[in-house]
Amino acid sequence: MRAQPPASHFINGSYQEDPHGRPIENRYPATGEVIARLCAAGSETVNAAVAAARSGFRVWAATPAAERGRVLRRAADLLRERNRELSELETLDTGKPLQETLVADAASGADCLEYYGGLAATLTGEHIDLGGSFAYTRREPLGVVGAIGAWNYPIQIACWKAAPALACGNAVVFKPSELTPLSALKLAEIFKEAGLPDGVFNVVQGYGETGAHLVEHPDVAKVSLTGSVPTGTRVAEIAARTLKHVTLELGGKSPLIVFDDAHLDNAVSAAINANFYSSGQICSNGTRVFVQRGLKEAFLERLTERTARARLGDPMDESVDTGPLVSQAQLDKVLGYIEAGRREGARLVCGGNRATVQAFPDGLFVEPTVFADVVDHMTIAREEIFGPVMCVLDFESEEEAVARANATEFGLAAGVFTRDIARAHRVIGALHAGTCWINTYNLTPIEMPFGGYKKSGIGRENGHAAIEHYSQVKSVYVELGDVASAY
């Protein structure tokens, strides 16, 4: 099983290699097999990518916005035409089941390119009547955008960053995670085929030092990162030295609050999606499930019954809904949190072990795990696990639930389940989170801004809101009369 690209990097419209780069072994998480060998970009390769982006930017920024939109929409069409091929590649890269990648990865990226392709020609300024004179504004691109992706949704994240950046007229240098390097290269090929000028979208592979070279480069005007809070903090510190624009989409420990009057099966479905989809490797997951005491035991009983139906196995089998974790390091981290839950007194309801899948003895599988009787001070209730581990906490009153839900350094997402619509809006209004849901969870349409409060990030992805983070406004005052002067 191989997925070896022609070379590691895509710069100025062609594949390139860095013969001195640090090796990257790309492994299939279901088997441990090496499916591709690449090399990291050193500082010279990063410099070449940024130089290509600067040249591409001059061409792309001068391209009429309507034509920019057409290129993005053609790229969206190509993504949809090749969805199965791209989904299989994403499954090899991440270990996520094909059942998921067929609908949630390249397909979401296509939606994003289509949305911003339609928006590009509408990004106009405004006329301001001042009586005897007037002013107008121009919305202009920033320049070169350095974008750094995460390993859980590689091609989706690449599109979420590239689409608004390109719609505004910027050029992009994208660095995927070293764990999932492949699909960004395919996206670069598709952009070129769709008519994007050379140098406007470039891909460099690498570890943290490659990302640091990109962030600190003086010709990069903006940095967009999806990653952990510690990584986001380092990126913000480096970017601050040259006052770069920054968007940070970081981690979370999000609350999902289930009131006694909630629809039981819908709430259980949301909790499953919010904890076990993508084997729990989603930043916005609702991993603190607060269930009102009157519903707690019925909720746990139904949750246990349905979690037992999870199908672990070959990620390429479309009947399988639970795949492996992305890496050995992630597996070890998740198993360590499960052990901490046991040690600190949480009640293990189901799961709790590394899973054995007969045909995949080296696969990085973990059983979907539920802890009950979790209290706020426990490690599993405070720290982001990024694995299939659900913490169920119980509460008595609305005020208690809100206070405890907000008692975290994170603020990425939150959800509320109740049939009382007034309470739903009241609770959502009181929660300190940037992306919220009522009677559902983790739906992120491109039209809706996505991002967090507090340590969960700065700025927004998607929707009209993202345009503000990839463009700048120039104000122009036009005098129609004479100019007065004191002397």
Side-chain angles (χ1 to χ4, degrees), residues 232-250:
T233 301
R234 289 195 295 273
V235 165
E237 289 172 347
I238 296 171
R241 297 171 196 163
T242 49
L243 294 180
K244 287 178 169 60
H245 298 254
V246 175
T247 297
L248 303 174
E249 196 272 281
L250 308 178

Side-chain angles (χ1 to χ4, degrees), residues 218-243:
D219 292 331
V220 171
K222 188 248 168 57
V223 177
S224 177
L225 166 80
T226 298
S228 67
V229 172
T231 301
T233 301
R234 289 195 295 273
V235 165
E237 289 172 347
I238 296 171
R241 297 171 196 163
T242 49
L243 294 180

Side-chain angles (χ1 to χ4, degrees), residues 166-188:
L166 297 177
C168 291
N170 302 285
V172 177
V173 179
F174 183 74
K175 191 200 87 66
S177 167
E178 68 275 11
L179 296 176
T180 54
L182 300 178
S183 58
L185 296 171
K186 287 295 184 182
L187 178 62

Side-chain angles (χ1 to χ4, degrees), residues 53-78:
R54 286 189 67 194
S55 296
F57 167 67
R58 287 191 286 271
V59 174
W60 187 240
T63 300
E67 175 58 22
R68 296 202 298 263
R70 281 191 286 271
V71 171
L72 292 177
R73 294 195 298 275
R74 283 197 291 269
D77 291 341
L78 291 170

Side-chain angles (χ1 to χ4, degrees), residues 410-435:
F410 299 107
L412 183 54
V416 174
F417 267 80
T418 178
R419 298 176 198 258
D420 182 339
I421 195 65
R423 174 163 60 188
H425 290 293
R426 184 171 63 244
V427 172
I428 287 292
L431 292 174
H432 303 160
T435 308

